[in-house]
Amino acid sequence: MLVAVVILTTAFTIIWTTFSVSLDGWRRGQLALDRIHHGDFVMEQVVSALRSAAYFNTRPDKYGFWLEDHGEDDEVSWVTSGSAFMKPEDPLARGLHRLWIGIEPNADGDASFAVRAYPHFAKDMEPDDVDPLIISSRVKGLDCKVWNNETEDWDDEWEDTNTVPPLVQVKLILEPLDRDRPPVEVTRLVEIPIGPSTTGAVSRSVATPGGT
């Protein structure tokens, strides 16, 4: 009887361990998919706004592209004609406006992906003059790079703020599945239609390690 109990206990332990490992793997897989889908949703809005970028060389100072590099807390701003990130009732959604994206603390003080929108012709108006709209508390970082046609390489900053870059590489950093695991990254390469033409060197130089 004692031997039977030991065998039964051992078998039950093996079965429970296998079930627990499988369940944990399924849970992590679902969490990973949820993070990626959430990141893709935010990223698609960014891509839509970038592809709708507007620029007129008659007033380059009002239509330029701005990028401030802060590691994984970049700030990016451009003029767009799209309605991405805009509330339907917002009058700015029906015309050109300047969009700012970056990382801001939410009501709980947690780093979150935020946007600001304001009239691009407003005199002496800065992003800080507009309250941020928190889009996602799961997105903890933003890293943006721009393609430089002259050097045929990626730059962390865009110094010619009176123009628009041809290509932008956007990376969203989402919270990790667990504290001891690396963050989830979603990366996209976005071509801005109104930007200058690029060379074939771009396809050989693009690298998005760790992204999707």
Side-chain angles (χ1 to χ4, degrees), residues 111-185:
S112 306
F113 183 88
V115 302
R116 290 184 172 97
Y118 54 96
H120 64 294
F121 267 116
K123 188 176 181 180
D124 299 327
M125 195 168 191
E126 299 292 336
D128 290 341
D129 297 331
V130 181
D131 292 333
L133 175 63
I134 302 299
I135 301 299
S136 172
S137 59
R138 292 185 179 180
V139 179
K140 302 299 184 181
L142 169 66
D143 184 26
C144 184
K145 299 181 186 298
V146 291
W147 180 257
N148 188 322
N149 265 342
E150 294 183 0
T151 62
E152 294 191 345
D153 200 1
W154 294 100
D155 290 341
D156 290 318
E157 297 181 353
W158 183 249
E159 297 182 355
D160 196 355
T161 56
N162 286 344
T163 61
V164 177
L167 285 172
V168 180
Q169 181 177 288
V170 182
K171 180 195 294 182
L172 300 180
I173 298 95
L174 287 82
E175 56 187 359
L177 303 181
D178 295 304
R179 289 185 178 181
D180 58 341
R181 296 175 67 87
V184 177
E185 298 179 355

Side-chain angles (χ1 to χ4, degrees), residues 61-142:
D61 58 316
K62 295 296 183 180
Y63 294 94
F65 183 93
W66 309 338
L67 168 60
E68 294 187 22
D69 179 46
H70 304 296
E72 293 185 348
D73 294 321
D74 290 353
E75 299 179 41
V76 192
S77 179
W78 67 98
V79 175
T80 178
S81 60
S83 58
F85 297 123
M86 303 294 292
K87 296 179 180 179
E89 67 274 12
D90 195 322
L92 292 176
R94 296 191 290 272
L96 295 176
H97 56 277
R98 179 164 285 279
L99 195 68
W100 174 99
I101 63 173
I103 303 300
E104 292 275 343
N106 61 13
D108 297 325
D110 298 326
S112 306
F113 183 88
V115 302
R116 290 184 172 97
Y118 54 96
H120 64 294
F121 267 116
K123 188 176 181 180
D124 299 327
M125 195 168 191
E126 299 292 336
D128 290 341
D129 297 331
V130 181
D131 292 333
L133 175 63
I134 302 299
I135 301 299
S136 172
S137 59
R138 292 185 179 180
V139 179
K140 302 299 184 181
L142 169 66

Side-chain angles (χ1 to χ4, degrees), residues 187-202:
T187 305
R188 291 288 186 277
L189 182 64
V190 187
E191 183 174 6
I192 300 181
I194 60 172
S197 300
T198 59
T199 66
V202 177

